[in-house]
Amino acid sequence: MTNYFSSNFKLGILGGGQLGKMLLYNTRKFDIYTTVLDSSNEAPSKIASNEFHLGNLMDYDAVYNFGKQVDILTIEIENVNVDALETLEKEGIKVYPASKTLRQIQNKAKQKLFYRDQNIPTSEFTRFAYLSEIEDTVINGGLHFPFVWKAAQFGYDGNGVKVVRKLEDLEGLPKGECIAEELIPFKNELAVIVARSVSGEIKTYPVVEMEFHPEANQVEYVICPARIPDSVAKKAEEVALKTSKAFNHVGLLAVEMFQTENDDILVNEVAPRPHNSGHQTIEASYTSQFEQHIRAILDLPLGRTDSKVGGVMVNLVGAEGYTGNVVYQNIENIMKLDGVTPHIYGKKQTRPFRKMGHVTIVNEDLNEARRVAELVKNSIKVISE
């Protein structure tokens, strides 16, 4: 077996954002030599990695040359050059998740077609090569309002998604490939994180419930466990496992789902990496999602996934109307509250709705944790100088 610990083994991470930084908590803990590639010299991961390289993640040469220096390569963001990953795999570098998985997931139209082919329940959709085709289809009666427009590529944190209720709503959207999805009336947005190791060991984290910000289309709260009947939780877990099996991924797969009015489960989208819906695992679970990702890609035994205690996660995002050098107000006030742990990502610049940190609230009583989360949300302010 490879000795990963305190050895000359090198792990590479494509992407140096907050997810990379939290992966590095664990490579530090295990003394695994880790090198990071990111396009920003101020990337949150820079401070915690053994080596930091500047480079564009979509650039073939940057990704290929970085990958040649490591033993195992992983990602913390999907938007990377997949052709370079494919070449690296052919040359014997281990890449998790595999280039094939990333190709299926990177493009939302391909992702939806994959669900359809694999009989994974998902909302109805139509694929368009250009935005202008949507307008023609609406005028010809082939598509009816309301629907959800999604850019096929490069969407993140609520960008690249819009509910379209009238033709004017299409104005100003990117002109390229996109999908129009049926707007699902749902009771809950749920997520399940599935961990799968190289040798195929599989574990799931408890189903979480996600509450979204109405304007930003971003997760505001993650509540674990989800406040849903056991029968619905079981169904969500089964759908997540079926999705994981279809992708045959290695590492983590976060499966975001809708619980419909009749308690059906529909897959919305997936992310093959640590995910916003699993941040509370750092404080609330026996094994954090970040440690689990490292265990999975190194083919180490997977850790326990159940929760020690109920957890609620609050995203800290840049306040509207503020852009510039970040200032966090009232952190000391929220730290007076029991069971509250802030995580500040280390991004120097704030802008409206940019993810700047998160706060975990743990409590034996989930409703109390949710009440404190609201208090945290209303107290802390992410503004600029």
Side-chain angles (χ1 to χ4, degrees), residues 237-296:
E237 192 177 310
E238 282 166 5
V239 169
L241 283 167
K242 182 177 182 177
T243 309
S244 163
K245 190 174 180 186
F247 280 112
N248 206 19
H249 67 104
V250 170
L252 299 184
L253 189 74
V255 185
E256 295 185 59
M257 298 171 270
F258 297 121
Q259 175 192 354
T260 68
E261 300 290 0
N262 336 323
D263 288 343
D264 288 328
I265 296 290
L266 300 177
V267 173
N268 177 22
E269 55 191 47
V270 299
R273 53 169 170 77
H275 190 254
N276 199 236
S277 64
H279 288 348
Q280 74 293 337
T281 60
I282 297 173
E283 279 79 27
S285 304
Y286 285 96
T287 312
S288 81
Q289 64 162 341
F290 300 98
E291 179 179 326
Q292 198 75 293
H293 183 73
I294 299 294
R295 285 175 178 242

Side-chain angles (χ1 to χ4, degrees), residues 290-338:
F290 300 98
E291 179 179 326
Q292 198 75 293
H293 183 73
I294 299 294
R295 285 175 178 242
I297 63 174
L298 300 185
D299 207 20
L300 296 164
L302 296 181
R304 260 178 89 164
T305 49
D306 50 331
S307 302
K308 297 186 252 190
V309 63
V312 176
M313 189 277 305
V314 182
N315 271 327
L316 297 183
V317 300
E320 289 181 85
Y322 292 93
T323 301
N325 295 336
V326 66
V327 175
Y328 297 90
Q329 283 187 336
N330 301 328
I331 286 196
E332 58 285 1
N333 294 346
I334 66 159
M335 288 175 82
K336 289 176 192 162
L337 304 167
D338 283 344

Side-chain angles (χ1 to χ4, degrees), residues 30-42:
F30 295 145
D31 196 32
I32 295 167
Y33 192 98
T34 310
T35 173
V36 171
L37 180 72
D38 195 89
S39 59
S40 167
N41 221 354
E42 291 191 342

Side-chain angles (χ1 to χ4, degrees), residues 62-246:
V63 172
Y64 174 77
N65 292 330
F66 175 78
K68 283 304 278 182
Q69 301 168 43
V70 304
D71 299 289
I72 291 181
L73 190 57
T74 191
I75 60 161
E76 61 107 59
I77 184 169
E78 288 90 317
N79 295 333
V80 299
N81 190 300
V82 180
D83 294 334
L85 297 184
E86 208 172 291
T87 307
L88 289 163
E89 285 167 334
K90 285 179 186 149
E91 294 179 6
I93 304 290
K94 292 171 176 167
V95 179
Y96 304 124
S99 60
K100 179 172 178 267
T101 308
L102 274 172
R103 261 193 217 288
Q104 288 161 329
I105 289 172
Q106 260 187 355
N107 182 298
K108 292 220 166 83
K110 280 187 189 162
Q111 197 183 131
K112 291 284 282 190
L113 289 165
F114 181 76
Y115 301 145
R116 197 181 268 173
D117 293 345
Q118 298 286 332
N119 292 317
I120 290 165
T122 193
S123 57
E124 290 301 314
F125 71 100
T126 313
R127 183 181 188 176
F128 297 98
Y130 302 101
L131 183 71
S132 54
E133 292 177 0
I134 293 189
E135 202 166 320
D136 301 341
T137 309
V138 169
I139 291 163
N140 296 328
L143 186 62
H144 303 285
F145 299 119
F147 59 85
V148 180
W149 167 88
K150 285 185 180 177
Q153 280 186 284
F154 308 126
Y156 69 96
D157 287 353
N159 292 298
V161 180
K162 188 174 183 181
V163 178
V164 177
R165 300 183 191 279
K166 54 188 187 301
L167 273 182
E168 293 77 54
D169 291 344
L170 294 168
E171 286 169 16
L173 293 178
K175 304 281 185 241
E177 189 190 359
C178 54
I179 56 173
E181 276 184 349
E182 177 193 356
L183 182 64
I184 299 292
F186 56 83
K187 284 185 199 172
N188 273 313
E189 293 205 45
L190 308 173
V192 173
I193 292 176
V194 184
R196 184 175 178 276
S197 74
V198 178
S199 53
E201 187 188 359
I202 293 173
K203 291 200 175 183
T204 59
Y205 280 89
V207 185
V208 302
E209 176 187 340
M210 299 183 290
E211 291 185 21
F212 279 73
H213 185 286
E215 280 102 65
N217 195 32
Q218 256 184 359
V219 178
E220 263 191 313
Y221 302 103
V222 172
I223 299 163
C224 182
R227 298 164 296 182
I228 53 175
D230 288 348
S231 57
V232 176
K234 193 168 181 356
K235 205 185 289 186
E237 192 177 310
E238 282 166 5
V239 169
L241 283 167
K242 182 177 182 177
T243 309
S244 163
K245 190 174 180 186

